[in-house]
Amino acid sequence: MAVTEITNLEFGKMVQAAASKLSKNAEFINSLNVFPVPDGDTGTNMTSSMASGAKYERNANSTKVGDLAAALAKGLLMGARGNSGVILSQIFRGFAKGAEGKTVLDAHDFAEAYGNGAKVAYKAVMKPTEGTILTVVRESAQAGLEKAKQTDDIIEVMHVIYEASTVALKKTPELLPVLKQVGVVDSGGQGLVFVLQAFDEALSGKVDKDDSYKPDNAEVDEMVKAMDHKSVQGKLNPEDIQYTYCTQMLVRIGKGKQVKQKFDYDTFYNYLAKIGDSLLVLNDDSVVRVHVHTEHPGEVLSWGQQFGDLQTIEIHNMVWQQEEIMEHDEEEAERSETPIDKAREASKTKPETAVIAVTSGDGIAKLLKSLGVTHVIKGGQTMNPSIQDIADAINNSGAKQAIVLPNNGNIFMAAEQAADIADIPTVVVHSKTIPQAMTALLEYNPEASLEDNQSNMEANLSTVKSGEVTNAIRDTEIDGQTIKKDDFMGIVDGKIVDTDPDLKKAAIKMVKQMLDEDSEIVTILYGQDGDKKTAEEIKAAVEEMDDELETEIYEGGQPVYPYLISVE
């Protein structure tokens, strides 16, 4: 039997199924990272972005698909993390524009809206690259438009879109040589294929309500983190937290002495939605897992017991946690304050320009603050901040204008989108690494205009070489290097230049390739998996290469990369 329209009910099932499908496959998408480094985050970013979109769609008070699509697009935009998440948000921004004002979508409407999504996504990328998610959305959209000319059965159109996406995905290694070299398909494209597969299954009735909510514990934890994540927690006043208690429980359906009701998802969900927010309810035939922010954790637990016994319970006082965070941040700020910072605080003035940097590692944060950064967003590899995180940091800075240093190429698009929606004039200095940020900050002039600072700081980015050392998570061949799992790699400005089973040797070999006759300063930042003793040994080896080099060591505290090393 043909299905000729998508109502609000079908659209909701499609969106929730897509969020669940991405969550279940996040680690697989992460594993498609071209570099065999332990920081693949495309799957994590797309999952978090879609979870945000799905939450907005669930909470939208409308029966019009056009309104629900707009809510999905808004949630995706505000929760978008990484370039893949931003592109996904742009696809559905275009989709929402195409569905605007429509109560239901017929086959042609859906194909047109999705096709508009492809166009908007291409426009959002300054230099569109084929062999990526853009190829997948464009080719699948074209297939959908062609099929919509032949039938009014929306299931047939959706299935053709999904099938075309799988074909386009398989072609990505032929269009992007580095994918073929490593033997993987594009990770962002794979994420979109999972979204379209979920849409296809939901429309075809292959996924019912319960089937959309069966992630394992690790995957649920990722969804919870996406809801709870606040990269700018230190800026939130505890008094502004609406609900005090983050409450989680696992209920064994139908088990226990206090069971009074047969489990029904809508009944169970709707009650909890009335007494809290940030609600996540996931279940299979035997258990239901709940995450909710509420003022009444006891009521949540009592409600759960009506459907089964409580297997696990977690309750956290978020107001108390926020007070602890603010106290810690104040102590850290006091220890890292420069004389200028203290004078500013004494006079109770706000900076004219907020200089906002994204980084992970307390040591790096202190170093950047000493160079002029006024606000730090905690994030980086594996934990890209969302557009909302960056926009909040800008808007809450108290400044009249802002400069954002992303310090990661995968955060560029989110930073640019945040700058566009910020309440104050904001520019992005496109630093890809911490060493680039440090070098750019040397050109920062508080008296200069926003545009002059952006121009001068970006001009300084090319004067530094950025190296990073980390371990390989799989065997592969790339950049002319044969890499064995667990070996250490030296990566210079995005290119793997050496490998070695020994961490220190890999770092020394990397620096040797970074040096040239113009080199003057080498800076070593040791991270969570590095140590000062080894850093001193690397320094000694570097100075043996050239005794005129000035070598500095700092504790960075960064994850993933035991050593970040720059050469200027």
Side-chain angles (χ1 to χ4, degrees), residues 255-421:
K255 305 290 184 180
K257 299 178 180 179
Q258 300 187 48
V259 175
K260 298 179 180 178
Q261 299 194 51
K262 183 178 180 180
F263 182 79
D264 174 76
Y265 183 88
D266 289 335
T267 300
F268 189 87
Y269 182 98
N270 290 338
Y271 175 83
L272 294 173
K274 294 177 182 177
I275 61 172
D277 67 5
S278 296
L279 177 60
L280 189 64
V281 176
L282 305 143
N283 74 286
D284 58 21
D285 294 334
S286 60
V287 298
V288 56
R289 182 166 176 174
V290 173
H291 166 278
V292 63
H293 295 173
T294 182
E295 280 297 292
H296 307 286
E299 292 183 19
V300 173
L301 303 184
S302 296
W303 180 245
Q305 283 185 297
Q306 293 191 36
F307 298 88
D309 59 18
L310 307 183
Q311 187 171 343
T312 60
I313 300 169
E314 288 186 31
I315 300 174
H316 302 288
N317 185 318
M318 295 186 293
V319 172
W320 177 81
Q321 288 177 330
Q322 188 61 26
E323 289 170 349
E324 290 286 297
I325 289 169
M326 291 185 69
E327 288 176 8
H328 174 75
D329 286 351
E330 288 170 2
E331 291 172 0
E332 288 294 313
E334 178 65 26
R335 285 195 289 268
S336 61
E337 276 182 342
T338 65
I340 293 176
D341 292 327
K342 291 179 179 179
R344 179 182 294 144
E345 176 62 23
S347 62
K348 299 296 182 182
T349 61
K350 299 290 185 180
E352 285 284 320
T353 303
V355 182
I356 301 168
V358 181
T359 187
S360 55
D362 291 341
I364 292 176
K366 291 178 183 178
L367 191 57
L368 293 179
K369 286 181 178 179
S370 73
L371 293 171
V373 166
T374 60
H375 300 77
V376 169
I377 301 174
K378 292 183 179 179
Q381 286 302 135
T382 73
M383 47 181 179
N384 297 160
S386 68
I387 293 173
Q388 181 77 68
D389 292 334
I390 301 171
D392 284 349
I394 295 168
N395 294 337
N396 295 333
S397 67
K400 295 180 179 179
Q401 56 188 16
I403 297 171
V404 178
L405 295 150
N407 304 329
N408 186 311
N410 201 35
I411 302 176
F412 282 3
M413 293 184 72
E416 289 162 355
Q417 290 287 325
D420 285 344
I421 65 174

Side-chain angles (χ1 to χ4, degrees), residues 423-435:
D423 296 338
I424 58 177
T426 303
V427 297
V428 177
V429 173
H430 294 81
S431 51
K432 292 183 178 180
T433 65
I434 295 300

Side-chain angles (χ1 to χ4, degrees), residues 45 57 59 64 99 125 150 171 299 388 436 471 481 512:
N45 286 336
E57 187 276 332
N59 294 338
K64 293 183 177 180
V125 180
Q150 305 165 15
K171 288 166 49 180
E299 292 183 19
Q388 181 77 68
Q436 282 193 349
N471 62 293
Q481 303 284 333
K512 188 174 183 179

Side-chain angles (χ1 to χ4, degrees), residues 47-57 71-72 74-76 78-80 226:
T47 296
S48 297
S49 303
M50 197 68 191
S52 175
K55 179 183 176 183
Y56 273 65
E57 187 276 332
L72 170 65
K74 177 71 171 179
L76 272 164
M78 302 315 294

